[in-house]
Amino acid sequence: MNLPALRQDTPTPLWLQLKHALRDQITFHLSPGARIPSESELCRHYGLSRMTVRQAISALVDEGLVGRQQGRGTFVLPTRLTIPPRAHAHFLDDGFETGGGVAVHLDGIALEPPARWICERLGLQEGDRAHKIRLNLADEANEDDVLASRTVYVPEHVAPGLRDLDLTVPVHRILEDSYGFLPATADETMRLIRADKLRADMLRMAPGQPLILVERVVYLPGGEPVEYARTYYRAER
């Protein structure tokens, strides 16, 4: 890697200069998966302390430009998914359905009694059944590059025969177009978590990596819940 010299005659801290130099290399010269120099290599090249070099690399990790792999090094990550807003979008549309260059795939559907805590969110009695729909969002050009995973629950009485429809279409649009329900409001929460083995396997990533979990309950005008969804997004994307 042809790294530029750092300047001593500027108020810009050395760690920040190094971060900018590495970011330029990542942006203009390196491809996803390429390894950047190690902390030791950068210390020797620039004559910097390990603390200074680590601060620069940690800043790149925090921005999602590179990722550390234990025992292997630090590597350039794929470009983040960019999702432009669409004209005339539904208020419930989100990046899972509307991103350009991505494809939604159906992983499975079942009709079964949900867990008790899901019944509470959907106003169901224990033992009532709901459609459980599992979907993933992948890069259209590389279907092995899974970006997000979603599980949706819809009460059986709300949408009988749901499994016979195209479930890669957003569920809220199916409820409107096929069942005549008009969702009015939604409660949505978002939090940062770490991937357990189950989620890591679903998203084809290493356990312990950060995920953004989005939970949503969709309601009809009268307050009846008709959809509960949990979506896990790879945070670096």
Side-chain angles (χ1 to χ4, degrees):
M1 184 182 293
N2 185 20
L3 291 169
L6 305 183
R7 297 177 58 187
Q8 300 288 340
D9 59 342
T10 175
T12 304
L14 290 172
W15 77 265
L16 187 54
Q17 291 187 54
L18 177 58
K19 176 196 168 188
H20 291 328
L22 291 171
R23 184 176 186 135
D24 285 346
Q25 293 293 319
I26 291 165
T27 302
F28 300 111
H29 303 292
L30 297 179
S31 300
R35 176 184 172 277
I36 70 169
S38 67
E39 290 182 7
S40 298
E41 290 168 333
L42 290 168
C43 287
R44 287 196 300 270
H45 180 80
Y46 284 112
L48 298 173
S49 70
R50 187 171 291 272
M51 183 180 296
T52 299
V53 170
R54 186 167 296 164
Q55 188 174 2
I57 294 177
S58 294
L60 295 172
V61 171
D62 292 342
E63 289 186 16
L65 295 174
V66 298
R68 294 188 176 102
Q69 295 185 21
Q70 187 68 34
R72 296 191 60 219
T74 305
F75 297 82
V76 178
L77 293 174
T79 305
R80 286 187 178 93
L81 176 64
T82 301
I83 303 168
R86 297 195 314 174
H88 312 298
H90 193 287
F91 84 98
L92 290 172
D93 284 347
D94 59 21
F96 198 94
E97 295 109 349
T98 61
V102 296
V104 177
H105 299 283
L106 177 65
D107 271 352
I109 178 169
L111 183 59
E112 60 189 27
R116 187 174 181 179
W117 61 272
I118 296 174
C119 287
E120 291 178 0
R121 284 165 169 77
L122 287 171
L124 300 176
Q125 298 298 314
E126 197 167 353
D128 288 348
R129 297 196 303 179
H131 300 282
K132 178 183 178 181
I133 306 160
R134 292 184 293 109
L135 305 158
N136 69 46
L137 183 73
D139 188 322
E140 204 167 46
N142 178 13
E143 294 189 359
D144 289 331
D145 187 10
V146 180
L147 309 173
S149 172
R150 171 172 288 175
T151 304
V152 186
Y153 295 87
V154 178
E156 180 181 18
H157 71 271
V158 169
L162 182 63
R163 68 180 305 126
D164 298 323
L165 303 178
D166 178 9
L167 297 175
T168 61
V169 176
V171 168
H172 55 268
R173 292 187 179 271
I174 295 175
L175 293 179
E176 290 186 10
D177 297 340
S178 299
Y179 294 94
F181 292 117
L182 296 175
T185 60
D187 290 334
E188 190 168 272
T189 60
M190 178 185 298
R191 57 195 172 97
L192 190 65
I193 64 171
R194 292 192 178 276
D196 58 14
K197 187 176 187 309
L198 173 64
R199 306 302 168 193
D201 288 346
M202 290 171 61
L203 291 164
R204 301 173 193 176
M205 62 192 299
Q209 296 299 303
L211 296 176
I212 297 170
L213 168 60
V214 179
E215 295 184 87
R216 183 169 75 190
V217 184
V218 178
Y219 301 92
L220 297 180
E224 179 186 358
V226 291
E227 175 190 339
Y228 170 65
R230 291 169 65 88
T231 307
Y232 297 85
Y233 293 94
R234 286 171 51 181
E236 85 279 8
R237 302 302 298 274

